[in-house]
Amino acid sequence: MAAGAPRVFVSHLAGVPVFDPNGDQVGRVRDLVAMLRVGGRPPRLLGLVVEVLSRRRIFLPMTRVTGIESGQVITTGVVNMRRFEQRPTERLVLGEFLDRRVRLVETGEEVTVLDVSVSQLPARRDWEIDKYFVRKGKGGALRRKGETLTVEWSAVSGFSLEEDGQGAESLVATFEQLRPTDVANALHHLSPKRRAEVAAALDDDRLADVLEELPEDDQVEIIGKLQEERAADVLEAMDPDDAADLLSELPEEDKERLLTLMRPDDAADVRRLMSYEERTAGGLMTTEPIILRPDATVADALARVRQADLSPALAAQVYVCRSPDETPTGKYLGTVHFQRLLRDPPYALVSSIVDSDLVPLTPDSPLPAVTSYLAAYNLVSAPVVDESGSLLGAVTVDDVLDHLLPEDWRETDFHGEEEVARGR
């Protein structure tokens, strides 16, 4: 839902159809999944429980929802068909929030929750519960006689976690305020048992981000304690190059079993990356840079660059290639840097401003050559192209740094444990 759009009451979402971008129905909404948070912060909406045509109930993250309007939900088209399983930190909004008895903060009066509204935060992809529609009175058969009113989330007590809670639920809620790197640092210093509890409570996307920041030993330990289907889900959510690095550390049997459980397209990208030597451009690259066809406009390129889930290094440039526009692509034509996109009119074609002067890296370019290339041309990302001229991926500076720093660099308290403990 775009910023500024009317709020949505969850009772209006129950049973509405869910469509992919082509207009094909995926299923129907059966519930919404929220996570309580500490510090009086409103519950965060994680996603939807969707019943697909086979009557299986799956989880659809809010990051995959592109629109809620006119009695329907539109998705990106990427849907994980594995059965939904509620986790300890999750609450079902329709099943657990509605008809719940809570209290008004100002008067202490007990009320019944009849409905809940959700809204998307401005300029972000996060969704929150922002208001409650409640009825005063004792409930039961006489509750219809009570006064009804709509109140802010902060006007009701009973929908947040206590700060002194000792369960993984409270700890995960506290970690939500931290960057993935800081969560990884905190996880690394927990006991193995506690680390496994917190990892199990994190949602897939969040755990994927945190795993990418952990030392290899911790990654292997955590992924090994997850159920195999969930481990495959988390690997799918990771950047392909990080997933490939993690899988390469696992025993061959475990590696193949997890690759088999992953979506075929994701597994194919990871297998391709694992075929290259680790300290080469092919082994370092990601297979998911921004790729555009020559007839795309500057406006198209800027829309892609704005995507919230892109790292700054990947958002710094787009790669212009002939069809197909997924790696390995058709012929690689060149690069357009973000600054150039800002200087040209929105209607200009990217093919008219493409930089084709730099010779791209090859997949077998060794790490020193990759480092020199980025440094010489002041780049944060560089294209990797095969003998036929197809773009295979892009090497980003953060992946290069991971291999240049000492192996124990993550052990260094570069941001200070005190700041992590205080939630900064």
Side-chain angles (χ1 to χ4, degrees), residues 286-293 296-321 325-327 329 332 334-338 341 350 381 383 391 393-394 396:
T286 177
T287 57
E288 298 177 342
I290 303 176
I291 300 169
L292 293 171
R293 298 182 186 180
T297 64
V298 167
D300 296 328
L302 289 174
R304 294 287 300 277
V305 167
R306 285 192 203 99
Q307 292 178 0
D309 54 354
L310 281 175
S311 69
L314 285 180
Q317 61 284 300
V318 300
Y319 299 100
V320 183
C321 306
D325 49 6
E326 293 184 358
T327 57
T329 67
Y332 167 71
T335 302
V336 183
H337 297 280
F338 176 62
L341 292 173
V350 291
S381 179
L391 180 70
T396 57

Side-chain angles (χ1 to χ4, degrees), residues 188-244:
H188 177 69
H189 292 92
L190 295 176
S191 67
K193 177 180 180 296
R194 196 75 174 124
R195 189 157 49 235
E197 291 171 350
V198 173
L202 292 170
D203 64 66
D204 292 346
D205 289 337
R206 182 67 162 164
L207 180 56
D209 291 340
V210 172
L211 279 177
E212 291 171 1
E213 305 298 334
L214 280 168
E216 290 177 350
D217 289 347
D218 289 343
Q219 291 182 346
V220 171
E221 173 196 304
I222 289 172
I223 208 76
K225 291 182 178 179
L226 299 177
Q227 292 184 349
E228 286 186 345
E229 287 195 350
R230 197 201 168 196
D233 291 344
V234 173
L235 288 165
E236 290 170 357
M238 294 176 70
D239 289 337
D241 52 326
D242 291 307

Side-chain angles (χ1 to χ4, degrees), residues 76-343:
T76 60
V78 180
V79 178
N80 190 324
M81 297 302 291
R82 293 197 176 95
R83 191 180 301 278
F84 167 70
E85 293 184 7
Q86 187 177 354
R87 294 178 185 152
T89 57
E90 297 172 347
R91 298 291 182 269
L92 297 177
V93 178
L94 294 176
E96 300 180 44
F97 279 38
L98 301 195
D99 291 322
R100 181 167 172 171
R101 300 289 292 170
V102 295
R103 292 187 181 277
L104 298 177
V105 173
E106 185 175 348
T107 65
E109 183 178 1
E110 195 172 46
V111 295
T112 301
V113 178
L114 302 181
D115 210 342
V116 173
S117 72
V118 296
S119 62
Q120 190 174 22
L121 298 182
R124 293 177 61 186
R125 304 176 73 188
D126 289 344
W127 293 67
E128 290 181 342
I129 291 175
D130 63 346
K131 292 182 182 292
Y132 301 111
F133 180 58
V134 301
R135 184 186 300 276
K136 295 182 178 180
K138 296 183 178 180
L142 299 178
R143 69 179 182 177
R144 293 186 178 276
K145 296 182 180 180
E147 176 190 354
T148 59
L149 63 159
T150 301
V151 296
E152 299 289 337
W153 62 267
S154 56
V156 171
S157 63
F159 285 114
S160 62
L161 296 175
E162 296 299 327
E163 290 281 2
D164 58 354
Q166 296 299 311
E169 184 178 62
S170 184
L171 189 55
V172 167
T174 303
F175 281 168
E176 186 192 6
Q177 305 171 43
L178 305 181
R179 294 176 180 270
T181 299
D182 297 328
V183 177
N185 185 61
L187 270 185
H188 177 69
H189 292 92
L190 295 176
S191 67
K193 177 180 180 296
R194 196 75 174 124
R195 189 157 49 235
E197 291 171 350
V198 173
L202 292 170
D203 64 66
D204 292 346
D205 289 337
R206 182 67 162 164
L207 180 56
D209 291 340
V210 172
L211 279 177
E212 291 171 1
E213 305 298 334
L214 280 168
E216 290 177 350
D217 289 347
D218 289 343
Q219 291 182 346
V220 171
E221 173 196 304
I222 289 172
I223 208 76
K225 291 182 178 179
L226 299 177
Q227 292 184 349
E228 286 186 345
E229 287 195 350
R230 197 201 168 196
D233 291 344
V234 173
L235 288 165
E236 290 170 357
M238 294 176 70
D239 289 337
D241 52 326
D242 291 307
D245 290 343
L246 172 51
L247 282 168
S248 66
E249 298 296 321
L250 300 179
E252 194 66 30
E253 291 182 3
D254 295 341
K255 180 196 312 178
E256 285 303 317
R257 193 159 53 246
L258 289 172
L259 283 167
T260 302
L261 289 171
M262 292 173 66
R263 287 192 295 262
D265 289 348
D266 292 321
D269 284 342
V270 172
R271 287 184 189 276
R272 181 152 53 89
L273 289 170
M274 292 172 64
S275 69
Y276 299 111
E277 293 292 330
E278 181 182 3
R279 298 173 72 83
T280 63
L284 294 169
M285 69 182 180
T286 177
T287 57
E288 298 177 342
I290 303 176
I291 300 169
L292 293 171
R293 298 182 186 180
D295 59 351
T297 64
V298 167
D300 296 328
L302 289 174
R304 294 287 300 277
V305 167
R306 285 192 203 99
Q307 292 178 0
D309 54 354
L310 281 175
S311 69
L314 285 180
Q317 61 284 300
V318 300
Y319 299 100
V320 183
C321 306
R322 299 199 183 279
S323 181
D325 49 6
E326 293 184 358
T327 57
T329 67
K331 182 176 176 57
Y332 167 71
L333 301 178
T335 302
V336 183
H337 297 280
F338 176 62
Q339 285 183 319
R340 182 61 191 269
L341 292 173
L342 294 177
R343 292 198 298 264

